[in-house]
Amino acid sequence: MVRVRTQVAIIGAGPAGMLLSHLLSLEGIESVVLETRSEEYVASRIRAGILEQSTVDLLRDLGLADRLEREGEEHHGIHLQWPHERRHLDFAELIGRSVWLYGQTEVQKDLVAARHRDGQEIHYEVSGTTLHDVETDHPWVEYVDAAGRPCRLDADVIAGCDGSFGPSRATVPDGVRRRWERSYPFSWLGVLADVAPSTDELIYARHPDGFALHSMRSREVSRFYLQVPNETDLADWPEDRIWEALATRLGHDRDGWTLATGPITEKSVLPMRSFVMSPMRHGRLFLAGDAAHIVPPTGAKGLNLAVADVALLAPALAALLGKNDATLADAYSATAQRRVWRCTHFSWWMTTMLHTDGDPFNHQLQVSQLDWITSSRAGAAGLAENYAGLPIGF
Ligand code: RFL
Ligand code: PHB
């Protein structure tokens, strides 16, 4: 058995785990990161595209935003659309905050590069990760490394940053944890295409055939999503059908708007789920990011919430381990959950406002809500404040 010791054992090398290791090292706390996948796999997983103002501010403060400043794109708002209407919300004008288009793949590359520069220990392609003794001051993690050797990582604290399928969440005993869950009767078909975006800013469209989103990754690459039934088979969605559905749902009868098409380079079906677990701490185990909560992507919140969690967790662990002061660590779960529930509500609200369910009453409510949000300053500002993100610490 290979035995290693560190202060914080971080499970998961996604954005939560990598950013946490970075923030801890700035506080003088050492960590080891364990990851089941390969470095290349984690770096190329296509996920989020939108960063909140507070996420960008934090990355800037940490000196991790050079490429974001060069290659990311500041968006001042979004377009909300329903048949015969496309209305723009200007967040910058409404609340003085904006969002940035910068893919999670790029955030991940920047974080990994920064950690490599600092000599961070990261073990990829581990298996059999099991957490032990989290209720004591000497928790440890058992795993098998990429070379097939059984290993034991002893730590003062374990940070469960292992996403929605990792083992950390289940380590909190049933009698202690509470869970809230909502699954939705639809999924998203996500598409990446080599074509210049047909819009300056994101279009969220409610259409009788179902929701559609026009996002982007760069001046040359567009990202689209279509509402599809659960259990949709990708084989039923050849390129022609995808472009036809996107053109119909995003179609706009004014100003001669058309959707440009191009080769599709990636497509996948994503289930939609809301999930919150509490507490986010059990003994010496602390959960952050998707390990503790999942939101449907309609509000563009998941990655930003993971960042907000670790921005709270790092100083809490630094005080606990560096100064033996447990105040922030004891408050971590309750403090983080205030923002978690705000984002859970916002993501649920955006989802229910924009997806169709065939119910004519709901249809009228949705259109009324869209109309109000885009014509009342108070309604628009509420959406803008949530979408562009509340300050870290909310
Ligand atoms: P991650 O990124 O899932 O990373 C968890 C890591 O843990 C590893 N792991 C293990 N490691 C060791 N041992 C084990 N036993 C392990 N089990 C798992 C995993 O391999 C993985 O590398 O979670 P994290 O760090 O909490 O980050 C969360 C974000 O990735 C997620 O919330 C966002 O991608 C959600 N999301 C969006 N968020 C936004 O803020 N804005 C968006 O525009 C946005 N769009 C999206 C999204 C998520 C999407 N999908 C695919 C779910 C769009 C999509 C399509
Ligand atoms: C994306 O670009 O992947 C994206 C953008 C906004 C969302 C969800 C996903 O609400």
Side-chain angles (χ1 to χ4, degrees), residues 82-210:
W82 61 104
H84 315 299
E85 295 289 345
R86 180 181 293 173
R87 298 190 191 163
H88 185 248
L89 292 188
D90 189 331
F91 303 157
E93 190 266 322
L94 284 160
I95 56 156
R97 292 163 77 79
S98 44
V99 294
W100 269 258
L101 185 89
Y102 192 62
Q104 182 167 331
T105 43
E106 307 314 302
V107 176
Q108 182 75 27
K109 277 182 214 151
D110 296 345
L111 288 170
V112 170
R115 298 317 301 132
H116 281 329
R117 279 198 296 277
D118 285 357
Q120 172 70 41
E121 205 177 317
I122 310 172
H123 299 283
Y124 288 99
E125 298 180 69
V126 307
S127 55
T129 320
T130 318
L131 291 71
H132 297 276
D133 295 339
V134 298
E135 285 160 11
T136 74
D137 288 349
H138 306 287
W140 54 283
V141 186
E142 190 181 4
Y143 64 97
V144 176
D145 72 10
R149 291 175 304 186
C151 302
R152 172 178 171 142
L153 174 59
D154 290 280
D156 298 320
V157 158
I158 299 176
C161 301
D162 44 358
S164 31
F165 302 109
S168 297
R169 185 195 287 168
T171 307
V172 181
D174 276 341
V176 174
R177 65 184 159 149
R178 288 198 67 189
R179 303 153 57 104
W180 295 265
E181 215 162 344
R182 171 77 37 109
S183 47
Y184 299 87
F186 40 75
S187 302
W188 277 13
L189 172 65
V191 171
L192 199 65
D194 282 340
V195 60
S198 303
T199 179
D200 54 347
E201 299 191 328
L202 272 57
I203 306 171
Y204 287 80
R206 189 207 176 280
H207 186 275
D209 292 357

Side-chain angles (χ1 to χ4, degrees), residues 11-17 34-37 41-42 45-51 104 108 126 129 161-167 188 217 223 225 270 288-291 295 297 299-306:
I11 308 182
L34 304 177
E35 167 61 52
T36 38
R37 302 290 193 160
Y41 180 91
V42 178
R45 238 175 352 206
I46 308 219
R47 287 188 168 178
I50 291 286
L51 303 182
Q104 182 167 331
Q108 182 75 27
V126 307
T129 320
C161 301
D162 44 358
S164 31
F165 302 109
W188 277 13
R217 286 292 177 273
R223 176 80 168 146
Y225 297 97
L270 323 155
D290 279 14
V295 287
K301 283 284 159 267
L303 169 61
N304 294 292
L305 210 43

